[in-house]
């Protein structure tokens, strides 16, 4: 479920995300799931976290869907943790899921999507890495 | 809970991390947090004053375990920063070194200087190559504690021009009083003769020569070891101006080395590190080479054995306390127990004394990423042996004064940084079709 649907700006973010097939699948999965997801308002792209604790600490794992500049053929999900230092804008990347965008209504692989959600909920535990995780990132992250 | 001395506090902070109180203005007062090189420098640089020496350290602040730390850094009402132990309300004065002015500048070619090199304590660290080849997707054999593959290109410039490095080294020496510049790189096919020109030592060579000739100071090189048939490269690097080599073999226990350093195990083997350390110690002399290990993952007895081995060959141990870095394969492991780490560091001190390894001879080399052998003086009883060792080092330091002054100046280097009789000729670029050369 998405727990901050009432928050200002969230509706717009979801609407924008829903314009792409990958975004549509992601929004549907977040809404249908048991996990308490929240949508981040402000950052570019479609970005969300989950309200849970990992080993007694708030889970910082974030996923972000975006299209790299000059790469309209690709939708990308970035896995990262924001800094826990209040003034820092550092992002600690774990890798990406590269999703080719075809001509039609390309949907996400359901099993892979579940693997990515489990990876996020685990706080990006190394043993939960999805098979599709690419650790080297070859484009700028917005 | 008794008040900790500076050495004990350093170890406890490495193991437990640090929280940052809202009263701090570290965005204004502290050095930028930068996850460069292997990732250990991602914390808050601070100095713990002490009667024997001031201790520089890079306190973990970003990793998850830091959120549960009993230690809190805050701005005191009296002015200045303090670390508070919230279990006992004990407070410790600390100094926060500011961002050097040159961090904010760019080189003449427009590259931010802090993307060329960073201060880690009081020395300048420069990563000299593209990412460690163990991070190549084809290899997929990176060390499990390391994050260098996700740093280079993100937080650092991938390819560094020699002139840019010289500019940064000069600024660091003139403005920050740096006496030691450290060049490092990850695995660069050191086991493959066909890639001999791409080895880490070859990549470091032009930087070493240029900084020796144009800046001066003491220069260290930390790259993967070459195999014995290439040991001549160490002599070559010394001719170019290198004063120090360090070898990161990480784990003494062969099973841990194999499990957590799959690339180093598969391509180089632990023995390559030992032979290179022994060779370079003979080449440079006692106390000029270091063996780097990580404490807190393998059994403590293995770490103690590593320290005994390193000091027995005349090198000094640089012991990193394991930090479960964000994004590393071992991120989910616990940070080690401070009591165990104290035992390791006290053992390190005793091994240095027993083997009479010269200590802190060069001024102003404070490495914030590790517990330096000199920091461990706080952990041992101040008995006769302790005093005699420190007195001996003070004498050596005084005698070395003129040599140090000479080394800090730039000097011409005869050797070539790109050609050597034992290197194969450089490949000539293919002539362009239609050019005079092609005709």
């Amino acid at each position: 479920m998405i727990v901050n649907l009432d928050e200002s700006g969230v509706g717009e973010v979801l609407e924008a995300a829903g314009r792409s097939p990958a975004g549509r699948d992601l929004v549907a999965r977040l809404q249908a799931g048991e996990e308490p997801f929240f949508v981040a308002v402000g950052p570019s792209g479609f970005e969300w976290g989950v309200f849970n604790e990992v080993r007694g600490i708030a889970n910082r794992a974030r996923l972000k869907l975006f299209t790299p500049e000059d790469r309209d053929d690709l939708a990308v999900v970035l896995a990262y943790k924001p800094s826990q230092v209040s003034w820092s804008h550092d992002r600690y990347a774990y890798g990406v899921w590269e999703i080719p965008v075809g001509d039609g209504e390309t949907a996400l692989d359901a099993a892979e999507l579940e693997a990515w959600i489990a990876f996020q909920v685990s706080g990006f535990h190394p043993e939960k890495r999805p098979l599709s995780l690419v650790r080297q990132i070859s484009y700028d992250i917005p | 809970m008794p008040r900790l001395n500076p050495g004990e506090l350093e170890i406890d902070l490495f193991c437990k991390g640090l929280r940052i109180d809202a009263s701090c203005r570290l965005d204004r007062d502290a050095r930028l947090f930068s996850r460069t090189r292997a990732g250990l420098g991602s914390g808050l640089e601070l100095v713990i004053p002490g009667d024997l020496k001031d201790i520089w350290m890079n306190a973990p602040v970003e990793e998850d375990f830091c959120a549960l730390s009993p230690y809190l850094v805050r701005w005191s009402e009296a002015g200045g920063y303090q670390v508070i132990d919230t279990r006992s309300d004990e407070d410790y004065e600390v100094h926060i070194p500011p961002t050097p002015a040159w961090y904010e500048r760019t080189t003449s070619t427009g590259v931010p200087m802090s993307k060329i090199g960073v201060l880690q304590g009081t020395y300048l660290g420069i990563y000299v190559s593209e990412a460690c080849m163990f991070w190549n997707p084809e290899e997929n054999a990176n060390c499990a504690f390391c994050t260098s593959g996700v740093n280079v290109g993100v937080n650092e410039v991938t390819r560094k021009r020699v002139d840019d490095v010289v500019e940064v080294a000069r600024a660091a020496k003139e403005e920050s009083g740096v006496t030691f510049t450290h060049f490092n790189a990850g695995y660069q096919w050191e086991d493959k003769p066909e890639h001999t020109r791409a080895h880490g030592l070859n990549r470091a060579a032009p930087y070493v020569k240029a900084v020796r000739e144009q800046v001066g100071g003491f220069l260290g090189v930390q790259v993967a070891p070459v195999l014995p048939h290439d040991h001549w490269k160490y002599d070559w690097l010394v001719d170019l101006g290198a004063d120090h080599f360090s070898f990161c073999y990480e784990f003494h226990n062969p099973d841990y080395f194999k499990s957590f350093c799959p690339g180093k195990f598969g391509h180089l083997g632990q023995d390559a590190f030992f032979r290179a350390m022994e060779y370079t110690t003979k080449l440079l002399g006692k106390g000029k080479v270091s063996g780097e290990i990580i404490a807190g993952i393998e059994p403590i007895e293995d770490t103690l054995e590593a320290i005994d081995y390193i000091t027995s060959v005349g090198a000094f141990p640089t012991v990193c306390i394991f930090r479960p870095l964000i994004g590393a394969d071992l991120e989910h492991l616990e940070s080690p127990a401070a009591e165990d780490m104290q035992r390791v560091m006290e053992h390190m001190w005793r091994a240095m004394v027993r083997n009479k390894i010269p200590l802190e001879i060069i001024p102003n080399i404070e490495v914030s990423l590790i517990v330096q052998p000199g920091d461990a003086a706080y952990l041992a009883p101040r008995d006769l042996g302790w005093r005699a060792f420190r007195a001996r080092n003070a004498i050596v330091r005084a005698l070395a004064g003129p040599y140090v002054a000479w080394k800090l100046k730039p000097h011409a280097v005869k050797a070539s940084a790109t050609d050597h009789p034992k290197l194969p000729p450089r490949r000539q670029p293919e002539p362009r079709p239609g050019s005079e050369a092609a005709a």
Side-chain angles (χ1 to χ4, degrees):
Chain A
M1 76 196 89
I2 296 173
V3 297
N4 65 336
L5 282 172
D6 294 340
E7 193 180 315
S8 167
V10 169
E12 288 82 349
V13 172
L14 292 178
E15 193 186 326
R19 287 185 203 127
S20 76
R24 219 163 20 244
D25 284 358
L26 285 167
V27 171
R29 169 61 183 83
L30 301 188
Q31 283 178 325
E34 299 274 307
E35 308 88 345
F37 294 106
F38 64 91
V39 173
V41 178
S44 60
F46 171 39
E47 183 171 322
W48 70 95
V50 57
F51 282 122
N52 69 332
E53 288 192 348
V54 179
R55 293 190 300 168
I57 300 163
N59 186 359
R60 279 188 282 164
R62 292 279 187 104
L63 293 178
K64 173 190 185 78
L65 173 71
F66 68 97
T67 303
E69 207 174 301
D70 302 328
R71 291 295 305 272
D72 292 341
D73 59 324
L74 214 56
V76 172
V77 175
L78 168 76
Y80 83 95
K81 284 184 184 176
S83 169
Q84 62 182 2
V85 174
S86 59
W87 68 86
S88 172
H89 298 292
D90 282 355
R91 293 179 295 187
Y92 294 89
Y94 285 72
V96 290
W97 179 15
E98 295 180 336
I99 305 153
V101 176
D103 292 336
E105 292 286 290
T106 314
L108 301 178
D109 179 280
E112 205 51 33
L113 174 54
E114 286 310 314
W116 275 84
I117 296 294
F119 185 44
Q120 180 179 32
V121 171
S122 75
F124 299 143
H125 194 289
E127 288 168 12
K128 296 273 187 185
R129 283 179 184 156
L131 292 173
S132 55
L133 178 75
V134 177
R135 295 182 80 186
Q136 284 197 328
I137 303 169
S138 54
Y139 29 74
D140 289 336
I141 309 293
Chain B
M1 186 173 177
R3 185 174 172 83
L4 304 180
N5 71 39
E8 293 164 341
L9 178 61
E10 177 189 29
I11 291 171
D12 221 28
L13 284 169
F14 270 128
C15 294
K16 297 187 172 73
L18 184 62
R19 290 179 292 124
I20 297 173
D21 186 68
S23 61
C24 295
R25 286 297 313 274
L26 296 174
D27 53 332
R28 178 194 64 192
D29 297 338
R31 289 180 183 171
L32 62 87
F33 295 6
S34 187
R35 184 168 75 160
T36 53
R37 314 225 286 182
L40 279 181
S42 56
L44 173 67
E45 293 270 303
L46 58 84
V47 182
I48 308 168
D51 62 323
L52 300 176
K53 62 174 289 196
D54 291 352
I55 290 182
W56 288 69
M57 73 169 300
N58 187 281
V61 294
E62 284 285 15
E63 290 73 21
D64 283 347
F65 72 93
C66 305
L68 300 175
S69 173
Y71 291 107
L72 184 71
V73 61
R74 73 177 181 197
W75 178 257
S76 104
E77 286 170 11
Y81 284 100
Q82 292 178 321
V83 167
I84 311 296
D85 184 341
T86 55
R87 297 165 298 186
S88 59
D89 273 344
E90 199 77 60
D91 58 73
Y92 300 91
E93 176 199 357
V94 293
H95 302 312
I96 305 291
T99 297
W102 56 268
Y103 268 33
E104 313 289 340
R105 300 205 301 269
T106 58
T107 64
S108 341
T109 58
V111 182
M113 285 190 165
S114 63
K115 290 210 166 194
I116 297 288
V118 290
L119 296 182
Q120 295 185 319
T122 62
Y123 81 95
L124 176 67
I126 298 176
Y127 197 91
V128 296
S129 74
E130 295 131 79
C132 169
M133 292 302 154
F134 292 145
W135 283 84
N136 264 7
E138 301 81 50
E139 288 283 346
N140 199 22
N142 60 280
C143 296
F145 49 81
C146 179
T147 62
S148 76
V150 291
N151 296 336
V152 180
V154 178
N155 301 317
E156 289 185 76
V157 177
T158 310
R159 286 172 186 264
K160 294 172 182 168
R161 295 178 69 252
V162 171
D163 289 347
D164 285 343
V165 167
V166 167
E167 268 186 67
V168 170
R170 185 178 292 121
K173 185 184 174 202
E174 289 173 358
E175 298 173 36
S176 301
V178 162
T179 58
F180 180 62
T181 302
H182 191 235
F183 300 102
N184 82 324
Y187 168 68
Q188 304 291 329
W189 300 292
E190 273 74 9
D191 53 326
K192 309 227 181 282
E194 65 273 27
H195 292 304
T196 187
R197 282 189 170 275
H199 290 176
L201 287 172
N202 295 66
R203 287 172 185 266
Y207 301 106
V208 169
K209 178 178 163 106
V211 175
R212 166 63 59 233
E213 288 193 315
Q214 299 177 54
V215 183
F218 288 83
L219 309 180
V221 178
Q222 181 188 81
V223 296
V226 291
L227 302 182
H229 63 266
D230 276 336
H231 277 178
W232 60 268
K233 289 189 179 185
Y234 294 114
D235 298 65
W236 176 44
L237 264 286
V238 171
D239 290 343
L240 290 170
D243 304 289
H244 162 81
F245 296 101
S246 50
F247 299 96
C248 303
Y249 80 95
E250 326 295 3
F251 303 109
H252 204 68
N253 183 313
D255 294 334
Y256 282 74
F257 181 77
K258 182 180 178 182
S259 296
F260 296 121
C261 305
K264 288 182 177 180
F265 170 79
H267 285 271
L268 303 167
Q270 225 176 2
D271 208 49
F273 291 84
F274 297 154
R275 298 294 83 81
M277 201 186 321
E278 290 159 13
Y279 181 86
T280 51
T281 303
K282 279 187 187 145
L283 178 66
L284 288 171
K286 221 175 190 181
K288 294 186 175 174
V289 169
S290 68
E292 288 211 15
I293 49 171
I294 298 174
I297 297 178
E298 68 180 345
I300 294 298
E301 298 308 324
D302 291 313
T303 306
L304 303 186
E305 204 175 306
I307 290 168
D308 290 341
Y309 162 71
I310 292 166
T311 50
S312 75
V313 303
F316 64 91
T318 41
V319 184
C320 301
I321 292 179
F322 169 61
R323 188 184 301 193
L325 294 167
I326 302 179
D329 296 344
L330 297 183
E331 179 183 355
H332 59 298
L333 295 194
E334 298 290 333
S335 191
E339 300 72 33
D340 289 342
M341 296 301 100
Q342 275 200 37
R343 190 176 154 215
V344 166
M345 302 309 170
E346 188 179 346
H347 186 87
M348 172 172 68
W349 173 262
R350 290 182 195 285
M352 293 287 290
V353 173
R354 189 171 59 247
N355 290 284
K356 297 186 174 67
I357 310 288
L359 184 63
E360 295 177 342
I361 306 304
I362 316 298
N364 198 35
I365 305 181
E366 297 295 339
V367 181
S368 60
L369 309 183
I370 60 164
V371 177
Q372 296 200 126
D375 301 350
Y378 282 108
L379 307 173
R382 300 185 186 189
D383 55 17
L384 194 60
W386 183 95
R387 289 174 199 282
F389 182 63
R390 283 178 55 86
R392 185 174 181 275
N393 281 310
I395 292 167
V396 176
R397 201 173 302 127
L399 293 173
Y403 172 71
V404 170
W406 179 80
K407 285 293 283 189
L408 291 176
K409 293 176 185 160
H411 294 285
V413 170
K414 281 185 189 165
S416 163
T418 50
D419 292 306
H420 186 282
K422 292 190 176 177
L423 281 173
R426 274 181 285 181
R427 257 185 280 169
Q428 299 298 318
E430 295 284 324
R432 285 183 197 166
S435 70
E436 224 173 90

